[in-house]
Amino acid sequence: MEFLKSAVASAVSRGPAFGYSFGDRVDLDDSIWALHNGTKKDDGSKCSIFAFDVNANKSRLPLAKNALRKWRTLRHPGVVRVLDTLETDTNIYVATERVVPLGWHVKRGALNTETIKWGLYTISTTMRFVNEDASSIHGNLRVSSVYTTESGEWKLAGFEVLSSLKEEDPAIYTYGGLLPDSTRYAAPEIGRGGWDGLKNQAIHVTDSWNMGTLIYEIFNGYFSTADQLSQTKSIPAPMTTPYKRLTQTNPKMRLPISHFLEQGKRSNGFFDTPLIRCSEFIENMGVKDDREREEFLQNLEDTKDQFPEEFFKAKVLPELLKSVEYGGGGPKVFSVVLMIAEKLSEDEWESTITPCVVRLFSSPDRAIRVFLLDNLPRMIEHLPKRTVSDHIFPQLVTGFSDVAPIVREQTVKSILIIIDKLSDRQINGDLLKYLAKTQNDEQPGIRTNTTICLGKIAKNLGQHTRAKVLAAAFTRSLRDPFVHARNAALMALAATAECFDETDCATKCLPAICVGLIDKEKIIRIQAQKTMDVFLARVKTLTANMPDTALPPVDSNGVPTSAAAAAAAPRMGTPQSDASWAGWAISSFTKKLGTVAGEIQTPTPGAPTPAEETLSPPQAISRPGSSIQRPPAPTPEKSKLMIDDDDDLDAWGDMDDTPKPPPPPPQPEEEEDVINSFANKSKPSLPKGLGKKPAAAVAAKKPVVRKTVKKAVKVEDDAWGNDNWDVDWK
């Protein structure tokens, strides 16, 4: 074997350039050719190479030259396709599509009846073309002249004595006896009168006889004498009578192959099978109407188990993909594509199906888009992560803004399938922007599914993004008028409770959940109670290890035990017990709003002076219908969120979009009324030192009272959770 390879390679190197490389040799019976597996040098594609050694077979050189000439000119789908040829003084090479000898399958008994019928139908169609359209005699029709392609189709070769009756000197009359084992396969009239005897016979007689021998060998194995051909035990019953007419010893009674073909194609004939109908339809799919295409696809799904796997992969699949992309096949055709693709390897999937899926996601056809989204679970495992993030996701997100609700809804659902193949920046950036819009969609089902989606992808969100987005999204859904949206929010909160710290649990989540306890719908009340229990347990767990108090330790006299604690203590009387201190703070706040709360701040440039504050009426601090605008002081945590590149939180807005009513204006104190009444009355002057203080002095002291009231109002407002999230959701 190695010696033969070296000899072939050496012969090629000495001759003209041949663009194909030789591989392993394939055994052939009854052939003048040596068959090799090969590859094309340019692109590495597979091929087969038929090689003829001139020096080793000089007597049969006319057969090889006749085959080469006929192979170059004969074009038919049922003929082995020629890629290139090379003829030198020492060798003849014919490069063809990759094929396997049919004899391999016959020897192993690997052919089922349906596949054999399909193959015989193809060979019969090709032979009808040879006999009638080309007016030629093949003369060498046998198992060794038939090959199978990668798609499982049977193709015809063996053109050593192919002759046209229009030629002056047909090769079959002169060289027919040079064929290997020609005596065993020769028709009876050739045995009696030689190959020249065919001149007085119909053009089909020898090929019809060989068609009969081909059928016998496929079903029963090789024969040694013509007497064995009368045994039809393994040949299908519907084919028995036509077979007997093909093997008639009287050439005038012999059935032409074209008639054999017509009998098989009749209704309920031996060639009227689902596999043959499928093959015929695939060949002409581009000219079929929608009704015929739908009927074909339905039959294909029902009979898919009867067809060879190679036929689906190499023959049906490429035609269906063309129909989907260019022939308007639509979702129905693509469903069959996915059915066939289940049997493909990963390499075959990536080279065949993945490019088509990427192109289809950019299609404007909504039916195709919805079908792709519905069937993503069947495809996602075969799609590389980079393909999804770079090519599919940018096209998929356009569905969030589609005018058709079904497209928006299916797009939201698809996120759960592709989330693991997206980058962190895509998840925490673009994706959250689109989900923020769909949570405010006009369709309640889309809002509900968005909430469910957020709950399920919570683990994929960034650490700094997760808590704020989930709290804002779920608490918004708790106010949704659609009952299932509220229920989904409660369930999502329960499922993502671990994402919230103790502060969020107590100040954001629990207050929002409490509203559900008195919901008009029972299912909401029940789910709210379950979610409440989850968060109470969560808070209990988070606070289990917290210290009993944050106050500094004191001695028996209420004095801090450390200098640092003493320096940090406020300049006021330290209460003797926690209860008395708390009671004092509450009673002081309720009795006198003028008590100083917080720390005195240094006036900033542009701020009103104490005199201006004194001269302003109390309503200047808080008037009905207005609210004090204060820029929020960002906490360190929020500042960190704002500079995080992976977070895009502003689109989620405030937890509570409902505007809060302004606090009622504080009532003027009795002391202020007395001062104002004296200011409006004229009094006689008193001796120096005993008169009323000038208005400037009063104005100088007044800001302390007004400053205190303003600070007290601020503490009360902040205590109700105004987080300064007043961002427009839209």
Side-chain angles (χ1 to χ4, degrees), residues 627-633 710 713-715 717-718 722 724:
S627 59
I628 302 174
Q629 301 296 325
R630 303 181 304 277
K710 183 175 182 180
V713 173
K714 180 179 186 303
V715 172
D717 183 42
D718 288 347
N722 184 3
N724 296 295

Side-chain angles (χ1 to χ4, degrees), residues 301 324 329-339 357 360-361 365-379 406-407 410-411 414 417:
E301 291 182 356
V324 171
K332 185 65 176 178
V333 175
F334 197 73
S335 65
V336 181
V337 169
L338 293 181
M339 177 191 69
V357 171
L360 288 178
F361 262 104
D365 189 343
R366 287 195 178 93
I368 287 289
R369 171 63 66 86
V370 172
F371 179 84
L372 290 172
L373 296 175
D374 284 341
N375 289 273
L376 264 180
R378 301 171 61 183
M379 301 185 291
I406 183 63
V407 177
Q410 293 304 118
T411 304
S414 67
I417 302 168

Side-chain angles (χ1 to χ4, degrees), residues 36-39 45-48 96-100 148-150:
H36 296 263
N37 290 328
T39 55
S45 58
K46 296 179 181 179
C47 69
S48 291
T96 69
E97 59 183 319
R98 176 63 64 88
V99 293
V100 174
T148 61
T149 65
E150 292 182 314

Side-chain angles (χ1 to χ4, degrees), residues 548-567:
D548 295 339
T549 180
L551 296 176
V554 296
D555 56 17
S556 58
N557 295 324
V559 178
T561 57
S562 64

